[in-house]
Amino acid sequence: LNGLKHVDWSDSLKTMQTNWIGRSEGASMFFDIVGTSHSVEIFTTRPDTIFGATYMVLAPMHDLVKVITSDDQKEKINAYIDYVRSKSEIERMAEKEITGCFTGAYAKHPFLDKQIPIWIGEYVLKDYGTGAIMAVPSDDERDQAFAKKFGLEIIDVVDKTNYPDSSLSDKNGVMINSDFINGMEVKDAIDAICHKIESLGIGTKRINYKLRDAGFSRQRYWGEPFPIVF
């Protein structure tokens, strides 16, 4: 990423490569799974929205899925995993229909005295991040669509009244329904939550990258740009 400052490429090409690398600042957190000794690790760029996390979604191929699935959900989970295996990753990311399956397991919310259901869904990929997410349907479009499809709780945690042109994903607004970070601007709330999870030993501030193994393709013209050394 730093090397892009020193190569003689166009700004548009550098931007494309920067987005491909995908540097993001956020926090890694652990959610304990109720009734087991296991915990699920997630990475989020929006730790400030933790109080709006109403469920979790694991990638269907996540290592914990078959471990935590309840007996009465095993048949449905296995059928759903077979369905997902029949599709390529590209097909799954392009999928417009919302699909998912409840594991029968619950996670303990790190800051609230409540349990949140753990689902699996094809929009979460095993090799992307930790292969698991905390779902905040009030502030993420995919989480919101998933929650509406399956009737899951939606809690507003960011008041964007002062930012009328903001989208759900924009990092601005004032925190609401969020306990000790109520009234804070988003950026201040992110710092406060990161400090809190580190002091509690349930997570840490972290920098993450989207970059995965390169997959070169012969599309029209060059496909992905790649360097040649003479």
Side-chain angles (χ1 to χ4, degrees), residues 132-151:
I133 64 167
M134 69 171 195
V136 183
S138 63
D139 285 82
D140 183 274
E141 290 181 2
R142 290 181 305 173
D143 293 346
Q144 190 172 101
F146 194 93
K148 287 180 177 179
K149 170 74 179 285
F150 295 108

Side-chain angles (χ1 to χ4, degrees), residues 206-220:
R206 188 172 129 194
I207 295 173
N208 205 28
Y209 296 90
K210 287 192 290 189
L211 183 66
R212 291 180 283 169
D213 291 343
F216 295 109
S217 62
R218 292 188 61 187
Q219 299 173 5
R220 196 169 66 166

Side-chain angles (χ1 to χ4, degrees), residues 46-77:
R46 295 297 306 274
D48 57 301
T49 63
I50 182 68
F51 292 97
T54 56
Y55 63 99
M56 301 190 77
V57 184
L58 272 56
M61 283 50 166
H62 192 289
D63 294 340
L64 283 175
V65 171
K66 294 199 173 181
V67 177
I68 66 173
T69 298
S70 62
D71 290 340
D72 59 341
Q73 287 295 108
K74 280 183 179 177
E75 189 173 335
K76 291 179 180 177
I77 287 290

Side-chain angles (χ1 to χ4, degrees), residues 144-207:
Q144 190 172 101
F146 194 93
K148 287 180 177 179
K149 170 74 179 285
F150 295 108
L152 298 164
E153 186 179 19
I154 300 175
I155 301 173
D156 289 326
V157 288
V158 182
D159 180 3
K160 295 182 182 287
T161 303
N162 297 329
Y163 303 90
D165 297 326
S166 292
S167 67
L168 284 183
S169 59
D170 288 336
K171 293 182 178 180
N172 49 37
V174 175
M175 306 309 300
I176 58 175
N177 300 319
S178 296
D179 200 78
F180 67 94
I181 57 172
N182 274 338
M184 290 186 185
E185 287 283 339
V186 166
K187 288 182 172 57
D188 295 329
I190 290 174
D191 289 338
I193 285 291
C194 286
H195 177 74
K196 189 70 172 178
I197 63 173
E198 287 183 337
S199 68
L200 293 174
I202 58 172
T204 184
K205 194 171 182 179
R206 188 172 129 194
I207 295 173

